[in-house]
């Protein structure tokens, strides 16, 4: 089962504003690119044309793994606003 | 600035145990719980098996509240499975002596359990505000004097309890945690799979309402990384997940994607048989504190107590995870410390430290440090590669009949020597002894 299909099962209320901000300057010098594989929701991608790192924040499971794994401190990460984000029905 | 008697940040098990105890002890004192989710539990994830025995021993008042709690199943069958590439070796333990009433351990779903405990706290007189994210601790010099919420409200209190979970930005704000060291955390991904109770009981060989805890070791990641898997039976669903230490994982070049690791685990022949026909109904992820070295001086600050995952109170031994019991115990202990310090009107760091840390030293701090060497041992890649393969090969040789089969001893011994009885095996065994 594809992770996108799994994420579609979750109850989520999306904010318009991203709770994750990426400092592209730092990413350019990053060779590890851990964010591209550690995210349990596979939300990070490298834009093929610009080489920029993007995150599809609306599927975020709010685990914080990307924040912990990023070796260069490129992420400004906070929890989504009170009314937003994933709301687990089972947990 | 509005003033209350105690502010608790986070309505997880630590925050709620604290709220219940405080409200019960003195209904005249206001207990305010701020929770960012829609309701208590909406943001929380565990494996989850809750060990009740330590809670009964060290958080008596909380354990009493748990009468009638929405537990899923009382665990009676324990199975540890070593996964090799296409084989599985299990040790299965069914024990009629396992206590099920009251249970030794139970499976739980946090969304249900936390919501229920939240109602208890409310009945007892605590006030829980959902959808309310704390963004800042208010300080007067070094002293914590209240919180600021995202809505811009500033609320003061003589003491604040940070029970905001593993990422605890609040402990960070108070200077009690510096940054996030990858090797101190593990990432977990988990599916909830719907399966009717009859099939669960048949499939896992359980009597009615009994539960099974299945833990998986072996090469869960395919890269010899520190990690494990779990499958717990709920009433009519399964909790299936993997846990991977972030330290080694994040350093891989072009590492495997976590969702792919999950699918790899799920498609193992053994796991496939457990989950066949079950429908995925939720996908969750969360981080677990790993290899915590608990620094007693970092558990309180002037006007602040840190409890539960926020304080790093968890023990992830790869195949067993404890954290919920520590959350409940430390939550109740935080409340007792607030009560004791209130009597003396002294919420200074020194007073809180004495009242709080002394209470949880044996039940939590020492319990965790005792096993802290364990992660070192568990980081040994051979545990995840050679040993499961070895077990499978030895058993394969023993169970297969036909062909040019030699005597049992001649078949098994070379394999055992290859995988286990050698110098490396001796060193591993020696290290294990020290744990
Ligand atoms: C996959 C997995 C498997 C596990 N398995 C087990 C197991 O089998 N047994 C076991 O005992 N433990 C297990 N654990 C560990 C256990 O889940 C945790 O130790 C436990 O949940 C800690 O409880 P807590 O109350 O400290 O934190 P949490 O449950 O994380 O609660 C923190 C609360 O604070 C809220 N919050 C955070 N920040 C803010 C803010 N700024 N403002 C307002 N609210 C905020 C959150 O929304 C949340 O409700 C597992 C963990 C995981 C991830
Ligand atoms: S790991 Fe951090 S620095 Fe590297 S690409 Fe990802 S976000 Fe950027
Ligand atoms: S917090 Fe977790 S789910 Fe969200 S982007 Fe980071 S790693 Fe992915």
């Amino acid at each position: 089962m594809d992770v996108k299909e799994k994420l579609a099962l979750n109850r989520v209320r999306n904010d318009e504003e991203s709770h994750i901000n990426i400092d592209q300057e730092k990413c350019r010098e990053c060779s590890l690119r851990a964010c591209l594989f550690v995210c349990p929701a596979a939300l990070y991608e490298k834009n093929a044309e610009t080489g920029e790192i993007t995150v599809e924040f609306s599927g975020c499971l709010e685990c914080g793994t990307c924040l912990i794994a990023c070796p260069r401190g490129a992420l400004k990460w906070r929890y989504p606003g009170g009314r937003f984000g994933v709301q687990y029905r089972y947990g | 600035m509005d003033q209350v008697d105690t502010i608790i940040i986070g309505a997880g098990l630590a925050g709620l145990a604290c709220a219940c105890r405080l409200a019960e002890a003195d209904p005249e004192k206001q207990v305010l719980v701020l929770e960012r989710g829609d309701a208590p539990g909406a943001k929380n994830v565990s494996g989850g098996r809750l060990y009740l025995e330590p809670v009964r021993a060290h958080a008596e008042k909380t354990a009493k509240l748990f009468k009638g709690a929405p537990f899923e199943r009382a665990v009676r069958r324990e199975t540890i499975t070593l996964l090799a590439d296409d084989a599985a070796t299990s040790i299965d333990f069914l024990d009629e002596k396992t206590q099920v009433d009251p249970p030794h351990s139970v499976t739980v779903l946090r969304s249900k359990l936390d919501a229920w405990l939240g109602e208890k706290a409310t009945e007892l007189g605590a006030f829980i505000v959902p959808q309310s994210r704390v963004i800042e601790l208010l300080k007067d010099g070094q002293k914590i004097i209240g919180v600021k919420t995202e809505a811009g409200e500033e609320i003061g209190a003589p003491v604040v309890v940070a029970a905001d979970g593993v990422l605890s930005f609040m402990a960070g704000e108070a200077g009690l945690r510096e940054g996030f060291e990858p090797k101190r955390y593990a990432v977990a991904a988990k599916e909830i799979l719907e399966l009717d109770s009859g099939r669960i009981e048949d499939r896992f060989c359980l009597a009615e309402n009994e539960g099974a805890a299945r833990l998986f070791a072996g090469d869960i990641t395919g890269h010899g990384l520190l990690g494990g898997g779990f499958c717990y039976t709920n009433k009519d669903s399964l909790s299936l997940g993997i846990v991977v230490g972030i330290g080694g994982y994040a350093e891989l070049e072009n590492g495997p994607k976590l969702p792919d690791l999950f699918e790899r685990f799920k498609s193992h022949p053994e796991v496939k048989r457990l989950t066949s026909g079950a429908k995925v109904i939720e996908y969750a992820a969360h981080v677990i504190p790993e290899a915590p070295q608990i620094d007693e001086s970092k558990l309180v600050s002037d006007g602040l107590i840190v409890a539960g995952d926020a304080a790093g109170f968890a023990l992830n031994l790869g195949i067993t995870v404890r954290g919920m019991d520590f959350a409940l115990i430390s939550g109740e202990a935080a409340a007792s410390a607030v009560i004791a310090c209130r009597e003396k009107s002294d919420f200074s760091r020194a007073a809180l430290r004495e009242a709080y840390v002394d209470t949880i030293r044996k039940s939590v701090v020492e319990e965790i440090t005792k096993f802290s060497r364990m992660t070192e041992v568990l980081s040994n890649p051979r545990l995840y590669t050679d040993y499961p393969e070895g077990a499978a090969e030895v058993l394969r040789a023993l169970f297969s009949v036909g062909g040019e089969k030699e005597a049992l001893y001649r078949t098994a011994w070379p394999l055992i020597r290859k995988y286990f009885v050698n110098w490396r095996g001796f060193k591993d065994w020696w290290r294990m002894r020290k744990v």
Side-chain angles (χ1 to χ4, degrees):
Chain A
M1 190 173 178
D2 185 49
V3 68
K4 294 260 174 326
E5 291 169 66
K6 291 188 197 178
L7 294 175
L9 299 169
N10 289 350
R11 194 169 71 195
V12 186
R13 214 177 296 117
N14 284 326
D15 199 348
E16 278 162 22
E17 190 193 343
S18 176
H19 60 285
I20 307 172
N21 282 301
I22 308 172
D23 181 344
Q24 300 293 342
E25 291 286 306
K26 292 188 170 143
C27 295
R28 263 193 284 282
E29 280 147 36
C30 174
S31 53
L32 275 174
R33 305 259 150 119
C35 58
L36 296 180
F37 58 88
V38 298
C39 173
L43 300 172
Y44 283 84
E45 269 173 25
K46 187 178 156 205
N47 186 299
E49 280 164 29
T50 63
E52 290 204 341
I53 303 290
T54 59
V55 59
E56 177 53 51
F57 74 93
S58 59
C60 181
L61 301 169
E62 299 169 31
C63 64
T65 309
C66 51
L67 172 69
I68 296 170
C70 171
R72 310 189 80 88
L75 300 178
K76 254 212 199 107
W77 192 106
R78 61 165 174 84
Y79 286 120
R83 282 168 303 122
F84 298 110
V86 65
Q87 309 288 340
Y88 291 118
R89 287 162 298 142
Y90 303 93
Chain B
M1 185 162 70
D2 291 325
Q3 232 9 72
V4 297
D5 295 296
T6 314
I7 297 172
I8 300 170
I9 309 170
L13 293 179
L16 292 172
C18 183
C20 286
R21 175 77 192 106
L22 281 175
E24 197 178 24
D26 189 347
E28 294 302 306
K29 301 279 183 211
Q30 302 141 337
V31 183
L32 182 67
V33 187
L34 301 169
E35 165 57 47
R36 67 188 185 91
D38 274 5
K43 300 285 185 181
N44 302 345
V45 182
S46 84
R49 167 223 294 240
L50 167 59
Y51 289 96
L52 287 170
E53 201 51 43
V55 182
R56 281 193 289 268
H58 304 293
E60 247 176 82
K61 302 236 163 44
T62 306
K64 283 210 181 94
L65 286 180
F66 269 140
K67 276 208 179 71
F71 297 141
E72 296 294 314
R73 286 168 185 268
V75 176
R76 181 154 249 167
R77 185 182 287 279
E78 307 265 1
T79 312
I80 295 181
T81 302
L82 276 177
L83 293 184
D85 236 3
D86 39 18
T89 310
S90 298
I91 298 177
D92 182 48
F93 186 55
L94 175 76
D95 186 5
E96 284 284 304
K97 289 206 175 81
T98 303
Q99 208 176 297
V100 288
D101 188 26
H104 170 258
S105 75
V106 289
T107 54
V108 301
L109 291 169
R110 291 294 297 280
S111 195
K112 281 196 215 167
L113 181 66
D114 294 18
W116 180 88
L117 194 58
E119 275 167 32
K120 280 269 153 199
T122 307
E123 276 166 31
L124 290 167
F127 198 79
I128 303 175
V129 189
Q131 301 191 334
S132 178
R133 185 171 63 101
V134 174
I135 56 167
E136 204 183 311
L137 291 175
L138 301 175
K139 296 176 193 163
D140 177 6
Q142 287 299 309
K143 193 170 176 291
I144 310 299
I145 55 163
V147 303
K148 185 174 175 181
T149 68
E150 161 183 52
E153 303 133 322
E154 297 196 345
I155 311 162
V159 62
V160 174
V161 178
D164 54 336
V166 56
L167 299 178
S168 190
F169 292 108
M170 296 304 136
E173 278 235 342
L176 299 176
R177 176 187 40 69
E178 282 165 44
F180 294 103
E181 246 188 290
K183 69 165 198 268
R184 292 187 168 228
Y185 300 90
V187 50
K190 171 185 174 183
E191 281 180 7
I192 301 285
L193 296 129
E194 197 173 53
L195 191 66
D196 66 74
S197 58
R199 272 163 95 193
I200 290 179
E201 283 151 13
D202 287 350
R203 192 170 291 186
F204 289 82
C205 286
L206 299 166
E208 210 177 330
N209 299 324
E210 279 178 2
R214 296 211 44 166
L215 298 160
F216 298 87
D219 202 6
I220 303 292
T221 61
H223 285 73
L225 296 172
L226 173 69
F230 59 83
C231 180
Y232 295 107
T233 55
N234 302 314
K235 275 207 172 76
D236 41 26
S237 65
L238 304 175
S239 293
L240 183 79
I242 58 167
V243 182
V244 184
I246 299 179
Y249 182 28
E251 283 166 18
L252 292 181
E253 212 154 303
N254 243 323
K257 288 194 174 208
L258 199 79
D260 295 342
L261 291 181
F262 196 99
E263 286 304 310
R264 180 180 188 274
F265 171 63
K266 209 179 159 184
S267 62
H268 189 283
E270 177 77 354
V271 181
K272 227 165 151 177
R273 280 163 173 76
L274 294 177
T275 58
S276 101
K279 191 172 122 219
V280 186
I281 49 175
E282 188 170 80
Y283 181 61
H286 206 81
V287 160
I288 310 179
E290 175 96 60
Q293 279 152 347
I294 294 174
D295 178 349
E296 289 192 359
S297 70
K298 299 272 166 79
L299 300 176
V300 298
S301 187
D302 285 311
L304 183 82
I305 305 180
V306 190
D309 267 13
F313 294 156
L315 201 50
N316 172 18
L317 301 182
I319 52 167
T320 57
V321 182
R322 281 178 69 186
M324 291 189 275
D325 54 331
F326 294 137
L328 292 166
I329 293 167
S330 60
E332 181 173 316
S336 304
V338 168
I339 296 163
C341 292
R342 189 186 280 150
E343 271 169 27
K344 292 183 250 162
S345 301
D346 181 4
F347 292 107
S348 67
R349 178 188 280 257
L352 287 174
R353 180 167 171 175
E354 194 188 324
Y356 180 54
V357 183
D358 284 358
T359 322
I360 55 168
R361 185 167 294 119
K362 268 221 137 45
S363 55
V364 180
V365 181
E366 286 177 4
E367 189 77 5
I368 293 171
T369 29
K370 201 162 61 188
F371 289 99
S372 64
R373 283 189 56 96
M374 191 76 176
T375 349
E376 194 189 310
V377 173
L378 289 171
S379 302
N380 178 354
R382 275 191 299 285
L383 288 184
Y384 307 99
T385 50
D386 288 10
Y387 294 149
E389 287 300 336
E393 270 205 50
V394 171
L395 292 172
R396 195 174 283 138
L398 292 178
F399 284 121
S400 62
V401 171
E404 307 237 325
K405 209 162 179 213
E406 301 225 42
L408 208 55
Y409 174 83
R410 299 254 289 276
T411 317
W413 179 241
L415 289 170
I416 292 176
R417 213 171 46 201
K418 173 174 167 207
Y419 285 104
F420 304 102
V421 190
N422 52 39
W423 175 239
R424 283 177 319 187
F426 172 76
K427 282 199 296 188
D428 291 346
W429 171 78
W430 188 254
R431 276 204 281 178
M432 202 91 83
R433 274 185 64 234
K434 293 197 199 151
V435 184

